Amino acid sequence: ANDVLKGTTKEYDYSGQLVRKNRIENSENHGIKEIFSNGKLTQISYFLHDNHTGPYISFYPDGSKNYEGYVINNSQYYTTKSY
């Protein structure tokens, strides 16, 4: 049996609204992860072999950018631009 997960996962809240969408490779978060609130995109971030690493963008409820930054290995967060 092949228990390795691969593809796009989607998580919904109790009312059926999408709250999270992310890519899985070899059963690990790998690629783009999107977070939603009330059906609207609030954050985009990137994962590399289950490590939160790479650029991230946060959005206001109206869809405009709040801030951008960069994360290294789940722990070092740098805000590079605020709007």
Side-chain angles (χ1 to χ4, degrees):
N2 186 355
D3 294 334
V4 176
L5 299 176
K6 181 180 180 178
T8 300
T9 64
K10 294 179 181 178
E11 182 180 331
Y12 297 88
D13 67 13
Y14 65 93
S15 67
Q17 292 264 2
L18 181 64
V19 293
R20 185 184 345 248
K21 182 169 112 176
N22 63 300
R23 296 278 309 148
I24 303 289
E25 292 287 336
N26 297 320
S27 298
E28 297 177 327
N29 290 309
H30 190 76
I32 295 173
K33 182 176 188 177
E34 298 171 302
I35 305 295
F36 299 84
S37 179
N38 297 318
K40 295 185 180 189
L41 182 63
T42 59
Q43 185 179 38
I44 297 173
S45 55
Y46 293 84
F47 282 76
L48 181 64
H49 304 295
D50 247 1
N51 286 308
H52 190 193
T53 297
Y56 64 88
I57 303 170
S58 175
F59 299 93
Y60 288 110
D62 69 2
S64 63
K65 287 183 183 177
N66 182 358
Y67 59 86
E68 296 181 47
Y70 200 85
V71 183
I72 299 172
N73 292 327
N74 296 323
S75 62
Q76 297 172 338
Y77 290 80
Y78 302 97
T79 298
T80 57
K81 191 171 189 179
S82 294
Y83 295 89

